[in-house]
């Protein structure tokens, strides 16, 4: 693994930005770390994961003013298309290990305490965010997942990757068993789910199929609602009162920019 | 004698906690030697141990005539020596590279006789008191309440315990935990210690830090008190979890006694068992079962062979984890979860 850090132009206002790169195995991951003018040392950094369009800089700009106001360090990784065609999955690819390495490097460089982060993901980034949190719940202060195309349910009737029952095909990495051991800690997390109220289209990027449509719903809005029900049921079955909310953003389609305009980034930072 | 006699002496790794400036004189009543007493000696012949491990963490080649400082201590090492903490004024045996001067009673046929040391005296302070490793131990602590402990045991020396311990410590560190890596029993040496430091552990310590140069033939309550001291120190330093290796095999005197004691087992949240082959796995799991212990995973040399892994898992029903998996933060983190790390943090 080689790690680097270099200054890059700031995204917005008084924040300063440094780009960190880590190499884990054969893949490199870069992340821009945006430091507010007056960092609040007790505030966990916000780790924001882009979707499949990989517009990390757009996400950084949308969060910048809120993070600056809060004194919150903002970390925006960018998974390259070439090296990370399926960055949202944990298994054959290990985006989790690269994210951990980024967090370790940010801490080692003295930028922020990354023991815990507020973890946000949009669309494909939301898929990665909740899967990461299922494996490392202790690293997550609060989990914010917006407009995920589909979810890994805390449900042992559904085979992995849709649920936590054993996968139908042998896995190189037994993610469902690992997540199973962390499930209680995961269900105790503060979870905020966001979805555009108009995100009801079956676009090309949406995963479709008989099984997923029947279980999770035919579009992202239905799937977000289903996930919240499943999360609540799994928590309550274990005697946990879930710290969970679902926010449906009015007039929003499947667009991060629209959701941000409708207050998504402010909601995340003020949660 | 005055302390210029110690100039140039090679102090062994097991003396790493000693304030060398306190060494002042020598006491030649070797019959009174106790385990842990610091002995100044001169190398008379080079045998099995051709080098001495220094507190700085590097080995130093020994030559006849070298002055060395070794604590008096026993040794249990089936692949080397068994020895007792006795000093013979005519000549004693270097029983371990990291320290331990005593009398060899058994030797593995495949190795050379021990390096011989002519003892010159027990080292005393200015006021004539013999310096002992126990005088420089960490402050004794009562049993800590919260820190989860994954205990690593195995079939024998060289079954893969230390490799597994270091790998798990590294995986846990990568997952973001502050990890204490401890040796509860064994003989002081820097090999294991250094590998735990290299793994990224937040705190590394062994029984030497609790005042014992070796735990062999030490009273069990003293060893247990040492374990509590190491765990208490780990907790006070803010470690989230401890990985503790118990040396040698589960039939070894002290390890067996510790595992048979329910109050000791209460200190350990979960167990990893390192072994070399499926038969050893089956035997080890059965033997541990007599004490109500079911390891959360098997590891060690066994895990290098996919066929052996399958046989062991079939025979025992216990999953096998490879070194690569223990190094993986996702796998290590799941072991932490099973050891109750979050419950411990909430309770703290």
């Amino acid at each position: 693994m080689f790690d680097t850090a270099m200054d890059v132009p700031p995204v917005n206002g008084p924040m300063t930005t440094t780009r960190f790169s880590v190499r884990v195995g054969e893949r490199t991951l870069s992340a821009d770390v945006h430091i507010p003018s007056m960092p609040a040392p007790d505030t966990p950094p916000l780790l924001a994961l882009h979707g499949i369009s990989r517009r990390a800089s757009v996400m950084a700009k949308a969060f910048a003013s809120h993070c600056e106001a809060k004194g919150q360090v903002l970390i925006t990784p960018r998974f390259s298309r070439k090296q990370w065609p399926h960055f949202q999955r944990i298994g054959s690819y290990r985006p989790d290990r690269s994210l951990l390495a980024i967090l370790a490097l940010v801490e080692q460089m003295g930028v922020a305490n990354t023991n815990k982060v507020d973890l946000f993901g949009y669309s494909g980034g939301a898929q990665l965010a909740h899967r990461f949190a299922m494996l490392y719940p202790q690293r997550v202060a609060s989990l914010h997942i917006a407009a995920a195309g589909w979810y890994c349910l805390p449900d042992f009737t559904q085979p992995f990757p849709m649920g936590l029952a054993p996968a139908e095909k042998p896995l190189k990495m037994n993610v469902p068993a690992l997540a199973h051991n962390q499930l209680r800690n995961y269900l105790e997390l503060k979870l905020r789910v966001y979805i555009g109220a108009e995100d009801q289209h079956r676009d090309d990027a949406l995963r479709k199929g008989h099984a997923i449509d029947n279980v999770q719903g035919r579009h992202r809005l239905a799937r977000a609602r289903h996930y919240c029900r499943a999360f609540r049921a799994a928590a309550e079955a274990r005697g946990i009162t879930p710290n969970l909310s679902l926010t449906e953003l009015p007039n929003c389609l499947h667009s991060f920019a629209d959701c941000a305009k409708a207050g998504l980034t402010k909601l995340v930072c003020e949660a | 004698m005055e302390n210029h006699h110690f100039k140039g002496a090679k102090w062994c790794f097991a003396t790493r906690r000693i304030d060398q400036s306190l060494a002042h004189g020598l006491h030649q009543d070797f019959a009174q030697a106790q385990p842990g007493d610091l002995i100044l000696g001169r190398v008379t012949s080079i045998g099995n141990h051709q080098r001495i491990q220094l507190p700085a963490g590097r080995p130093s080649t020994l030559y006849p005539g070298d002055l060395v400082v070794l604590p008096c201590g026993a040794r249990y090492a089936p692949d080397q020596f068994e020895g007792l903490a006795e000093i013979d004024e005519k000549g004693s045996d270097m029983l371990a590279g990291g320290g331990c001067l005593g009398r060899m009673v058994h030797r593995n046929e495949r190795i050379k006789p021990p390096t011989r040391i002519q003892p010159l005296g027990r080292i005393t302070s200015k006021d004539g008191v013999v310096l002992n490793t126990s005088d420089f131990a960490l402050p004794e602590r009562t049993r800590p309440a919260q820190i989860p402990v994954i205990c690593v045991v195995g079939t024998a020396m060289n079954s893969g315990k230390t490799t597994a311990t270091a790998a798990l410590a590294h995986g846990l560190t990568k997952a973001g935990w502050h990890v204490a890596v401890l040796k509860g029993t064994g003989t002081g040496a820097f090999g294991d210690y250094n590998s735990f430091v290299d793994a990224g552990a937040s705190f590394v310590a062994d029984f030497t830090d609790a005042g014992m140069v070796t735990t062999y033939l030490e009273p069990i309550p003293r060893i247990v008190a040492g374990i509590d001291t190491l765990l208490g120190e780990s907790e006070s330093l803010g470690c989230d979890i401890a990985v503790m290796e118990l040396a040698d095999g589960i039939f070894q005197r002290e390890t067996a006694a510790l595992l048979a004691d329910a109050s000791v087992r209460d200190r350990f949240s979960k167990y990893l068992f390192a072994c070399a082959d499926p038969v050893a796995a089956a035997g080890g799991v059965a033997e541990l079962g007599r004490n109500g212990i079911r390891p959360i995973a098997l590891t060690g040399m066994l895990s290098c062979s996919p066929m052996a892994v399958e046989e062991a898992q079939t025979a025992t029903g216990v999953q096998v984890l490879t070194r690569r998996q223990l190094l993986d933060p996702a796998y290590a983190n799941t072991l932490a979860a099973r050891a109750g790390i979050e419950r411990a943090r909430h309770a703290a």
Side-chain angles (χ1 to χ4, degrees):
Chain A
M1 183 169 91
F2 66 84
D3 305 328
T4 59
M6 58 182 277
D7 292 334
V8 295
V11 290
N12 193 22
M15 290 186 117
T16 56
T17 301
T18 303
R19 181 162 295 166
F20 289 80
S21 293
V22 294
R23 186 175 176 88
V24 178
E26 296 179 351
R27 292 185 174 81
T28 301
L29 176 64
S30 295
D32 286 350
V33 180
H34 314 281
I35 304 163
S37 56
M38 294 182 66
D42 295 334
T43 301
L46 174 62
L47 175 60
L49 307 178
H50 59 65
I52 57 168
S53 59
R54 296 161 209 263
R55 292 189 192 123
S57 57
V58 171
M59 189 170 276
K61 281 179 183 159
F63 275 113
S65 61
H66 305 297
C67 290
E68 168 62 22
K70 197 176 167 184
Q72 185 171 34
V73 171
L74 170 64
I75 306 170
T76 51
R78 186 178 184 283
F79 293 91
S80 73
R81 286 180 201 280
K82 190 175 175 186
Q83 292 198 45
W84 298 95
H86 305 294
F87 72 93
Q88 66 271 49
R89 302 177 193 169
I90 297 175
S92 299
Y93 292 85
R94 296 300 303 274
D96 56 319
R97 296 194 67 162
S98 295
L99 289 175
L100 289 172
I102 286 284
L103 296 181
L105 185 57
V106 169
E107 176 136 354
Q108 285 163 356
M109 298 291 280
V111 175
N113 178 353
T114 59
N115 191 34
K116 282 183 182 284
V117 295
D118 290 329
L119 178 56
F120 170 83
Y122 183 81
S123 191
Q127 291 184 41
L128 174 57
H130 82 283
R131 289 167 184 156
F132 179 91
M134 291 177 87
L135 292 178
Y136 310 100
Q138 82 277 7
R139 301 304 299 269
V140 179
S142 62
L143 175 62
H144 304 261
I145 49 179
W150 59 289
Y151 301 82
C152 180
L153 300 171
D155 179 341
F156 292 94
T157 65
Q158 297 296 318
F160 184 82
M162 282 207 292
L164 291 177
E168 286 161 354
K169 293 178 187 171
L171 297 168
K172 191 175 168 187
M173 177 186 177
N174 195 349
V175 177
L178 299 177
H180 183 180
N181 285 316
Q182 303 288 356
L183 185 57
R184 184 173 184 89
N185 299 326
Y186 176 70
L187 294 169
E188 288 175 342
L189 289 179
K190 174 180 173 180
L191 172 62
R192 300 290 176 263
V193 180
Y194 310 88
I195 185 71
E198 306 305 321
D199 196 345
Q200 301 178 48
H201 299 282
R202 288 168 66 79
D203 52 70
D204 290 345
L206 184 71
R207 182 165 173 152
K208 307 173 196 74
H210 219 60
I212 197 163
D213 291 349
N214 281 347
V215 173
Q216 299 198 15
R218 289 180 54 76
H219 47 70
R220 294 184 186 88
L221 174 63
R223 291 176 186 180
R225 289 172 176 168
H226 179 79
Y227 184 70
C228 289
R229 286 194 297 272
F231 187 96
R232 182 176 299 282
E236 289 175 350
R238 290 161 178 80
I240 300 165
T241 303
N243 185 347
L244 163 70
S245 70
L246 170 64
T247 301
E248 297 183 10
L249 299 159
N251 306 315
C252 290
L253 296 162
H254 190 62
S255 157
F256 174 76
D258 285 354
C259 290
K261 275 184 202 159
L264 171 62
T265 49
K266 187 165 185 276
L267 285 170
V268 170
C269 289
E270 291 179 352
Chain B
M1 287 192 185
E2 293 181 8
N3 61 4
H4 65 268
H5 286 270
F6 307 115
K7 196 173 179 183
K10 295 175 176 177
W11 293 61
C12 71
F13 184 70
T15 67
R16 67 183 183 275
R17 296 188 64 83
I18 312 293
D19 179 354
Q20 295 182 13
S21 68
L22 296 178
H24 182 79
L26 293 173
H27 196 304
Q28 265 105 12
D29 184 359
F30 294 112
Q32 298 298 315
Q34 298 294 311
D37 283 356
L38 299 189
I39 312 293
L40 177 70
R42 188 180 299 283
V43 176
T44 54
S45 64
I46 305 296
N48 181 58
H49 289 105
Q50 300 175 30
R51 302 194 293 182
I52 185 171
Q53 298 179 0
L54 302 179
R58 74 168 181 89
S60 170
T61 301
L62 288 171
Y63 297 92
D66 278 354
L67 283 180
V68 292
V69 177
L70 305 166
C72 171
R75 181 85 204 271
Y76 173 95
D79 65 357
Q80 291 186 18
F81 308 115
E82 182 184 7
L84 301 175
E86 297 173 4
I87 303 299
D88 184 338
E89 61 186 355
K90 293 174 188 164
S92 290
D93 299 318
M94 182 173 172
L95 298 172
C100 264
L101 191 67
R103 178 170 68 84
M104 183 198 78
V105 291
H106 292 112
R107 171 168 65 96
N108 187 300
E109 287 185 2
R110 290 181 298 179
I111 65 159
K112 294 178 183 173
T115 292
R116 294 283 289 169
I117 308 287
Q118 173 63 52
L120 301 175
R122 293 191 289 159
I123 298 175
T124 62
S125 62
K126 202 168 187 177
D127 53 8
V129 176
V130 175
L131 299 181
N132 188 288
T133 51
S134 62
D135 302 329
F136 300 87
L138 290 165
E140 198 164 318
R141 292 180 184 271
T142 54
R143 178 180 171 183
Q146 304 298 346
I147 190 165
V149 185
I150 296 177
C151 178
V152 182
V153 293
T155 46
M157 287 181 80
N158 305 320
S159 55
K161 296 184 298 295
T162 301
T163 299
T165 301
L168 176 58
H170 186 74
L172 289 168
T173 300
K174 287 284 181 195
W177 299 112
H178 296 287
V179 184
V181 188
L182 311 170
K183 276 200 82 164
T185 62
T187 299
F190 69 36
D192 296 359
Y193 190 98
N194 288 347
S195 70
F196 300 155
V197 172
D198 293 347
S202 299
F203 175 58
V204 177
D206 66 18
F207 39 83
T208 307
D209 296 289
M212 293 169 277
V213 59
T214 171
T215 53
Y216 185 44
L217 302 177
E218 286 288 337
I220 298 302
R222 187 178 185 209
I223 298 171
V224 174
I227 287 173
D228 286 347
T229 293
L230 299 183
L231 292 175
E233 186 73 9
S234 305
E235 195 169 80
S236 72
L237 292 172
C239 293
D240 301 304
I241 188 167
V243 184
M244 178 174 281
E245 178 183 344
L246 297 184
D248 306 304
I250 55 176
F251 289 147
Q252 195 276 337
R253 178 183 178 273
E254 286 78 26
T255 297
L258 292 172
L259 296 177
D261 184 330
S263 71
V264 175
R265 293 198 303 272
D266 283 349
R267 288 160 171 83
F268 303 139
S269 317
K270 295 290 176 189
Y271 297 82
L272 272 183
F273 184 69
C275 52
D277 59 68
V279 176
V285 169
E287 189 60 29
L288 290 170
R290 291 182 214 279
N291 288 318
I293 295 168
R294 175 111 175 132
I296 46 172
L298 306 174
T299 186
M301 297 297 290
L302 162 85
S303 66
C304 298
S305 161
M307 288 173 287
V309 167
E310 192 169 333
E311 288 177 15
Q313 288 182 157
T314 302
T316 64
V318 180
Q319 70 170 337
V320 176
L321 293 178
T322 63
R323 175 176 177 270
R324 190 186 176 105
Q325 287 171 317
L326 293 171
L327 287 167
D328 188 320
Y331 281 87
N333 204 36
T334 203
L335 297 183
R338 292 180 70 183
I341 196 163
E342 285 292 347
R343 283 195 301 280
R345 272 154 51 103
H346 292 155

